[in-house]
Structures are given as structure tokens and as C-alpha cells.
Amino acid sequence: MSAFRRVFVCFGLSYASNLGRLSRALVRRQAMKIPTVIRKNWISLSAIGGLCAVPFSQKQDNLSHEALVRRASSLVTDSTNTFLSQTTLALVDSFTQYVKTIHTLVTLHKNYVASGSKLTPSEEDSVWQVIVRQRQEVSDLREDCKRFESNWMMAINLSKLAAETAYNAGADQASVTAQTSLQVAQSHVNQIRQLFMEAEKNLKESKAENSQRIKLPAAMEEEDVPEAYLRED
């Protein structure tokens, strides 16, 4: 019985192998019957079959290709408008914080210069440390402004391209909306940029970012020196 089973299994494997070879031969024979141009295209599609996984949407009923393109361009303008509004908000906020920080530093430095010589060494050191921290904050905020301005410029360019694309596709309303968003964003940034430039000018004129620390008179410095260090051996 076991011998019969082995013969049956061997016969089945042989049959499956022959059937596989026959199927491949039939496929090749059928391929040879296909016209040359179609056969080349078929082979090319087989070689790049991965592209078939791209989820292209089918044409919807009662909608022309032009209508679908207009709808897609409208979606693009919606996305670019969102990107533009968020980058504009980030840029305006960073510029505002930068202007406020500069104003604080300039005022603090002005008071320090005016009354620095009247302060005790400990008071002068405390005020100077505050100025140092304020300078660092100005520097950090300046870098943030540069970064957000770069993002904002990218959003401006994308919005311009989306508005032009919507116009060419016949999505007039989407194009008008995108252009309006561009004008509003540029208006807000231009206003805060004017304050930004004025703050930069005040910072440069005050020299609050690069001035040196005030040297206190020697007599005031000796007040905090322990008496033991002042005695001669």
C-alpha cells in the first residue's frame, strides 16, 4: 500500500511539472500571436508593474475631465491657503516677539549706562546678567524670524502657483480666493516688517547688543573685598 502511495505521489508531481511547462509554453505562444507593438507595450507594463499600485481615481459619472481638474485645482488652492495662513501667523508672531525683546533690551541697556556707575558691584552684576540673557534671547528670536520667513516665502510661491493653476483650469473662484489670501498675507507681513526694521535700527543705534560692560571705580570694587585680603603680611 505504501509503495502504491509513493508511485501515486511521484506521478502527481510529474504531472504538475509537465502541466506547468505546458502552461508557460502556451503563454509564450499566445504572446507571439499578439502584434509587435502591443506585445512591446505589454512587456513594458509587466516590467514596471509596480506603477499599477498607484491609486488613480476613476472618472466619475456625469463629470468631465475638465470638471475633475477644476475640482482638483480647487483642493490644491485650499491646501496652499492653509499653509500660507499658518506660516503668516508664525512669521508675524515671531516678528512681534523679536520687536518686543529688542525694546526691552534697549531700555534695559539705556538704564544700565545711565546709572551703572551708581550701582554696587552686586547690583551691577545682576543687571549685566539680565542684559546678557536678553541679548541671547534677541539672537535666538532673530534666527526664528529667518526660519519662519523662509517658510513664508515658500508658501507665497506655492500660493502664486496654485492661483495660476486654478485660473488656467477654469476654477475662477478658487483662483480669486488664492489671490485674496496672498494680498492679505503680504499686507500683514509688510506692516510687522516695518516695525521689525525700526527695532533693528534702534538696536544698532543704542549699541545695546555689542557694548562692553561698565568698569566700576576701584574704590567701589574694594568695598566687597574681605578685609583679610587687604592686610599686608
Side-chain angles (χ1 to χ4, degrees), residues 134-169:
Q134 200 72 11
R135 286 178 174 180
Q136 183 60 47
E137 186 174 356
V138 168
S139 178
D140 293 341
L141 288 174
R142 185 181 294 121
E143 294 300 318
D144 289 343
C145 290
K146 293 179 180 178
R147 178 164 50 88
F148 286 127
E149 188 170 19
S150 177
N151 293 336
W152 183 76
M153 289 301 302
M154 184 182 299
I156 286 291
N157 293 331
L158 287 175
S159 295
K160 289 180 179 179
L161 184 59
E164 182 180 356
T165 301
Y167 177 80
N168 293 333

Side-chain angles (χ1 to χ4, degrees), residues 21-40 42-43:
R21 287 195 295 270
L22 179 60
S23 299
R24 289 191 293 271
L26 288 174
V27 170
R28 288 194 295 269
R29 192 175 297 114
Q30 291 296 329
M32 294 303 296
K33 294 180 180 180
I34 299 176
T36 304
V37 176
I38 299 178
R39 187 165 66 249
K40 289 180 178 180
W42 179 40
I43 295 173

Side-chain angles (χ1 to χ4, degrees), residues 63-230:
L63 285 177
S64 65
H65 289 298
E66 288 77 8
L68 292 174
V69 170
R70 284 196 298 271
R71 177 181 294 183
S73 63
S74 297
L75 293 175
V76 170
T77 55
D78 289 342
S79 298
T80 55
N81 288 341
T82 301
F83 183 42
L84 179 60
S85 65
Q86 294 302 316
T87 54
T88 300
L89 179 62
L91 181 59
V92 170
D93 185 63
S94 62
F95 273 11
T96 302
Q97 293 298 322
Y98 181 67
V99 170
K100 290 181 179 179
T101 306
I102 285 181
H103 177 72
T104 301
L105 175 59
V106 170
T107 302
L108 185 63
H109 182 264
K110 182 179 180 180
N111 294 334
Y112 173 75
V113 172
S115 59
S117 58
K118 302 176 183 178
L119 300 174
T120 64
S122 59
E123 292 173 341
E124 186 275 337
D125 183 70
S126 298
V127 175
W128 180 254
Q129 294 305 320
V130 174
I131 291 177
V132 170
R133 289 194 295 269
Q134 200 72 11
R135 286 178 174 180
Q136 183 60 47
E137 186 174 356
V138 168
S139 178
D140 293 341
L141 288 174
R142 185 181 294 121
E143 294 300 318
D144 289 343
C145 290
K146 293 179 180 178
R147 178 164 50 88
F148 286 127
E149 188 170 19
S150 177
N151 293 336
W152 183 76
M153 289 301 302
M154 184 182 299
I156 286 291
N157 293 331
L158 287 175
S159 295
K160 289 180 179 179
L161 184 59
E164 182 180 356
T165 301
Y167 177 80
N168 293 333
D172 296 337
Q173 184 60 44
S175 178
V176 170
T177 301
Q179 292 176 6
T180 301
S181 298
L182 277 168
Q183 294 174 358
V184 172
Q186 290 172 332
S187 176
H188 284 310
V189 172
N190 287 337
Q191 291 177 8
I192 192 63
R193 182 176 279 129
Q194 184 65 31
L195 298 177
F196 175 90
M197 296 175 63
E198 292 177 359
E200 287 269 274
K201 181 180 178 181
N202 292 336
L203 179 63
K204 184 177 180 180
E205 292 177 350
S206 67
K207 300 179 180 180
E209 196 172 14
N210 302 310
S211 65
Q212 298 296 321
R213 186 172 184 174
I214 294 177
K215 292 184 178 182
L216 298 177
M220 294 186 62
E221 294 179 353
E222 292 178 355
E223 289 181 359
D224 288 346
V225 178
E227 183 178 355
Y229 292 97
L230 297 178

Side-chain angles (χ1 to χ4, degrees), residues 39-55:
R39 187 165 66 249
K40 289 180 178 180
N41 292 337
W42 179 40
I43 295 173
S44 298
L45 288 174
S46 299
I48 57 174
L51 292 179
C52 296
V54 178

